[in-house]
Amino acid sequence: MRLQNAALGAAGLAAFLALGEAVPRLGLVKEDYFPPTSRIASAFADELSDGAFWTALGDTLTGWAVGLAIAVSAGIVIGVIVSVVPYLREATASTIEFLRPIPSVALIPLAVLLYGSELRSVLLLVVYASFWQVLIQTLYGVQDVDPVADETARSYGLGTWARIRHVLWPTALPFVMTGVRLAAAVALILAITGELVIGAPGLGARIAVAQNSQAVPEMYALIVVTGLLGLLINVGARTVERRALAWHQSVRGEVAV
């Protein structure tokens, strides 16, 4: 089944690349706006041989990784505290529902005012967007704890931290891992967006430079790089999720299938 899915995926990708080559060659769109796949591939190869490209890639990955780490740590800690402290969940519910829908891109003017075009501007956007993914999933996970299991742990004399470790955390972990996987993708999107709009060092800024200089094949090559980067991050996040939840019924059922 996996080989069949991989073969179908490869066939679909090959068809897409062939379509990208044929459409501009046939004159359906202007090559100045959408170059053929071969020209994009050539520009892609040129980027890989350019040291500045690898520096930009490192800047993007740094902003992504640092921002994601901060967001995940804060989301898990605050989510658990808000859930286990009596009445704190109700007291913070309205604040969370007010802040969560605010688009991270709306904070770009604030980020520029505070930090200019530095890495910290990108971190502000990445952390804000990713934090809510983890926090909300953590809250849902803690709410899913079986009250009978919690009361049983209390009756056996387990303290607060012991109940968090042995009852709350195993129940919440599948939700938390979902939040981390979603946050990883969102963090990359905001890192690229911040660099593109603010001009902070990274792939986004390099895309903006290519666009402004009319280097269209290079621009598309860099866009392909961001897509490949997102694919690798998603695959990596799913791999970590499967390993962390190897004991869980959902993962064991997926492996069995």
Side-chain angles (χ1 to χ4, degrees), residues 49-129:
S49 62
D50 188 352
F53 163 78
W54 295 104
T55 301
L57 178 61
D59 291 334
T60 296
L61 289 177
T62 298
W64 169 80
V66 175
L68 180 63
I70 296 173
V72 169
S73 302
I76 293 175
V77 172
I78 295 176
V80 172
I81 292 176
V82 167
S83 299
V84 301
V85 175
Y87 306 113
L88 190 56
R89 177 69 180 96
E90 290 74 13
T92 58
S94 57
T95 302
I96 291 174
E97 292 304 320
F98 169 73
L99 294 175
R100 182 167 64 96
I102 297 178
S104 296
V105 292
L107 301 179
I108 289 179
L110 175 62
V112 173
L113 287 175
L114 291 176
Y115 305 118
S117 59
E118 299 178 5
L119 174 63
R120 289 180 292 179
S121 296
V122 175
L123 288 178
L124 176 62
L125 303 178
V126 171
V127 171
Y128 186 85

Side-chain angles (χ1 to χ4, degrees), residues 6 50 94 99 107 119 128 153 163 167 188 190 198 203 228 246 256:
D50 188 352
S94 57
L99 294 175
L107 301 179
L119 174 63
Y128 186 85
R163 294 199 309 274
V167 179
L188 179 64
L190 266 299
I198 298 174
L203 292 176
L228 293 174

Side-chain angles (χ1 to χ4, degrees), residues 9-205:
L13 178 60
F16 176 76
L17 295 176
L19 183 64
E21 181 72 22
V23 167
R25 297 290 186 189
L26 295 174
L28 299 178
V29 295
K30 292 184 177 180
E31 292 191 20
D32 293 338
Y33 303 141
F34 187 81
T37 302
S38 57
R39 288 183 59 192
I40 296 175
S42 177
F44 180 79
D46 293 338
E47 289 291 334
L48 295 181
S49 62
D50 188 352
F53 163 78
W54 295 104
T55 301
L57 178 61
D59 291 334
T60 296
L61 289 177
T62 298
W64 169 80
V66 175
L68 180 63
I70 296 173
V72 169
S73 302
I76 293 175
V77 172
I78 295 176
V80 172
I81 292 176
V82 167
S83 299
V84 301
V85 175
Y87 306 113
L88 190 56
R89 177 69 180 96
E90 290 74 13
T92 58
S94 57
T95 302
I96 291 174
E97 292 304 320
F98 169 73
L99 294 175
R100 182 167 64 96
I102 297 178
S104 296
V105 292
L107 301 179
I108 289 179
L110 175 62
V112 173
L113 287 175
L114 291 176
Y115 305 118
S117 59
E118 299 178 5
L119 174 63
R120 289 180 292 179
S121 296
V122 175
L123 288 178
L124 176 62
L125 303 178
V126 171
V127 171
Y128 186 85
S130 305
F131 168 77
W132 300 111
Q133 308 293 328
V134 181
L135 176 66
I136 298 302
Q137 290 296 325
T138 302
L139 294 176
Y140 286 155
V142 175
Q143 291 176 357
D144 199 53
V145 172
D146 187 354
V148 176
D150 188 47
E151 290 300 325
T152 301
R154 290 176 185 272
S155 66
Y156 276 99
L158 271 68
T160 301
W161 290 112
R163 294 199 309 274
I164 291 175
R165 177 182 178 184
H166 298 290
V167 179
L168 185 151
W169 184 244
T171 302
L173 185 57
F175 293 85
V176 172
M177 293 307 301
T178 299
V180 172
R181 175 163 51 83
L182 296 174
V186 170
L188 179 64
I189 294 172
L190 266 299
I192 299 295
T193 301
E195 295 164 356
L196 184 64
V197 178
I198 298 174
L203 292 176

